[in-house]
Amino acid sequence: MRETLFRDHFWSSDLTSTVGYDSIIQHLNDGRKNCKEFEDFLKERAVIEEKYGKELINLSKKKPCGQTELNTLKRSLDAFKQQIDNVGQGHIQLAQTLREEAKKMEDFREKQKLHRKKIELIMEAIHKNRNLQYKKTMEAKRLYEQRCRDKDEAEQAVHRNANLVTQKQQEKLFLKLAQTKSSLEDSDRNYQQSITSLEKIREEWQKEHIKACEFFETQECERISYFRNALWLHVNQLSQSCVQNDEKYEEIRKSLEMCSIEKDIEFFVNLRKTGSSAPAPVAYENYYNAQRNATPVRSPASVPISRRGPLPTPTSGPGDPDYATIDGYSLIHH
């Protein structure tokens, strides 16, 4: 149970003073301003998160990053870019969450403002009525004190001039004394009535002041609790975002664990190989030897080719000489 309460510590010895009430109102206004500052902070953080998320997505989609890699390393790079895109999406989602939290803070702040406004209007009216009655009472007191002085002066005049004035003058003095006594009685009665009215107003104001203090203290407890929880939730959201990002980065690490140098080398060789035989050594060739070896050799004369068709093979009759041909020579046997 708390021992320090608003209702016990915001009074003033001056009846018309509002210093205690004003101190509470100023503190509540500062609290509302602090909530608004945190609300603006969340909105600006949301803008930063959204911008960062969009830039990450653009980076993963538009910026080349190992686009000619092959096989397992290519799959790791694809996973890397996909998870960076996912991280960007996560930041955009976080931005939306922060905007929702800022809206909740705004709603809470406006709700407290409306409830507080009702109490403030009541207290303003009571303060106005109290101060007006106090002013009337002080005026009644001033008039009462003046009538007391007038009555005292009239009595002194009667005693002072008792044996020095005529009968008629004495009657005037007594008449004036009677009039001052009557005015004193009226002012005294009016003054007492003003005091009674002021006391009723003071008691009403005191009750309302206590109720207002209790209401404002409850509101302030709610505000501090809500603000604290909102800040706690915000930090949890940031932590959760980091955890989710790390889970995405873990997927990249898992993909990198599957990356095989040997498989990538083998894949490249099988895909782009050009042959398994190396070129033969280039021999030395002497220029002059090459010239001698290049002397032209006579080729046998070509036999003219007749344009006529082949002759028919002659036939020999009995008793005719035989014909024979050897290397282009004709022989006749007899």
Side-chain angles (χ1 to χ4, degrees), residues 315-324 331-334:
T315 59
S316 301
D320 291 336
D322 295 329
Y323 289 88
L331 295 178
I332 301 175
H333 300 278
H334 295 277

Side-chain angles (χ1 to χ4, degrees), residues 200-213:
K200 289 181 180 179
I201 293 175
R202 188 195 68 81
E203 289 178 353
E204 181 185 1
W205 160 75
Q206 184 170 308
K207 291 178 182 178
E208 292 298 328
H209 180 77
I210 292 173
K211 288 168 59 177
C213 287

Side-chain angles (χ1 to χ4, degrees), residues 38 51 130 181 188 193 217 239 253 290:
F38 182 65
K51 181 180 179 182
R130 180 200 62 184
K181 286 182 179 181
D188 181 53
Q193 289 175 351
E217 183 175 347
S239 295
R253 288 188 285 267

Side-chain angles (χ1 to χ4, degrees), residues 157-158 160-171 173:
V158 170
R160 187 170 53 247
N161 299 310
N163 301 320
L164 301 178
V165 295
T166 63
Q167 184 67 28
K168 187 174 182 180
Q169 289 175 331
Q170 284 183 348
E171 290 177 358
L173 291 174

Side-chain angles (χ1 to χ4, degrees), residues 272-283:
R272 303 286 174 80
K273 61 185 178 181
T274 59
S276 58
S277 299
V282 179

Side-chain angles (χ1 to χ4, degrees), residues 62-106:
K62 297 180 180 179
K63 185 67 176 179
C65 184
Q67 59 183 347
T68 61
E69 284 295 343
L70 302 172
N71 207 31
T72 62
L73 184 55
K74 174 178 173 56
R75 289 195 289 270
S76 295
L77 285 168
D78 290 343
F80 167 73
K81 296 190 71 175
Q82 180 59 52
Q83 294 304 329
I84 293 299
D85 184 278
N86 293 341
V87 170
Q89 296 290 352
H91 283 282
I92 293 177
Q93 292 175 0
L94 176 60
Q96 181 59 31
T97 301
L98 296 180
R99 289 191 178 94
E100 292 173 358
E101 293 304 316
K103 185 62 170 62
K104 292 179 182 178
M105 177 61 78
E106 180 183 5

Side-chain angles (χ1 to χ4, degrees), residues 84-333:
I84 293 299
D85 184 278
N86 293 341
V87 170
Q89 296 290 352
H91 283 282
I92 293 177
Q93 292 175 0
L94 176 60
Q96 181 59 31
T97 301
L98 296 180
R99 289 191 178 94
E100 292 173 358
E101 293 304 316
K103 185 62 170 62
K104 292 179 182 178
M105 177 61 78
E106 180 183 5
D107 293 341
F108 172 79
R109 184 169 50 82
E110 291 301 318
K111 180 181 178 181
Q112 278 208 328
K113 177 184 176 182
L114 291 176
H115 291 172
R116 207 181 86 192
K117 190 65 177 177
K118 297 177 182 178
I119 303 299
E120 288 179 348
L121 291 174
I122 293 173
M123 293 305 297
E124 287 176 5
I126 290 178
H127 288 160
K128 184 178 180 180
N129 190 33
R130 180 200 62 184
N131 293 346
L132 181 60
Q133 184 59 39
Y134 180 81
K135 183 178 180 181
K136 290 180 178 180
T137 301
M138 292 301 101
E139 179 62 23
K141 179 182 178 182
R142 185 194 66 77
L143 186 59
Y144 162 73
E145 291 175 347
Q146 182 61 46
R147 294 294 181 261
C148 288
R149 286 190 291 270
D150 293 344
K151 180 253 185 186
D152 291 344
E153 290 177 0
E155 286 181 343
Q156 291 174 6
V158 170
H159 292 306
R160 187 170 53 247
N161 299 310
N163 301 320
L164 301 178
V165 295
T166 63
Q167 184 67 28
K168 187 174 182 180
Q169 289 175 331
Q170 284 183 348
E171 290 177 358
K172 289 182 179 181
L173 291 174
F174 281 109
L175 178 60
K176 184 176 182 181
L177 177 60
Q179 290 175 344
T180 56
K181 286 182 179 181
S182 177
S183 297
L184 174 58
E185 290 174 357
D186 292 340
S187 62
D188 181 53
R189 186 168 49 253
N190 186 48
Y191 177 37
Q192 291 186 33
Q193 289 175 351
S194 295
I195 288 292
T196 301
S197 298
L198 180 60
E199 179 59 19
K200 289 181 180 179
I201 293 175
R202 188 195 68 81
E203 289 178 353
E204 181 185 1
W205 160 75
Q206 184 170 308
K207 291 178 182 178
E208 292 298 328
H209 180 77
I210 292 173
K211 288 168 59 177
C213 287
E214 292 173 345
F215 176 82
F216 292 150
E217 183 175 347
T218 300
Q219 263 208 342
E220 181 61 4
C221 291
E222 291 176 352
R223 187 195 69 83
I224 294 174
S225 176
Y226 189 89
F227 199 165
R228 172 184 176 275
N229 292 340
L231 187 58
W232 193 298
L233 177 61
H234 175 61
V235 174
N236 284 348
Q237 289 167 344
L238 298 182
S239 295
Q240 184 180 14
S241 175
C242 292
V243 171
Q244 291 174 345
N245 287 344
D246 190 63
E247 290 174 352
K248 297 178 179 69
Y249 297 142
E250 181 63 21
E251 293 299 320
I252 300 174
R253 288 188 285 267
K254 289 179 180 179
S255 176
L256 289 172
E257 289 175 351
M258 302 300 295
C259 181
S260 171
I261 298 174
E262 292 79 7
K263 289 182 179 179
D264 285 4
I265 294 297
E266 181 181 358
F267 184 85
F268 168 71
V269 169
N270 292 332
L271 181 66
R272 303 286 174 80
K273 61 185 178 181
T274 59
S276 58
S277 299
V282 179
Y284 170 76
E285 296 181 1
N286 186 282
Y287 176 79
Y288 296 101
N289 289 343
Q291 280 190 334
R292 285 194 293 270
N293 293 335
T295 301
V297 179
R298 292 182 180 179
S299 59
S302 59
V303 178
I305 300 174
S306 174
R307 293 183 180 180
R308 293 176 60 185
L311 295 174
T313 303
T315 59
S316 301
D320 291 336
D322 295 329
Y323 289 88
T325 59
I326 300 175
D327 293 334
Y329 293 93
S330 297
L331 295 178
I332 301 175
H333 300 278

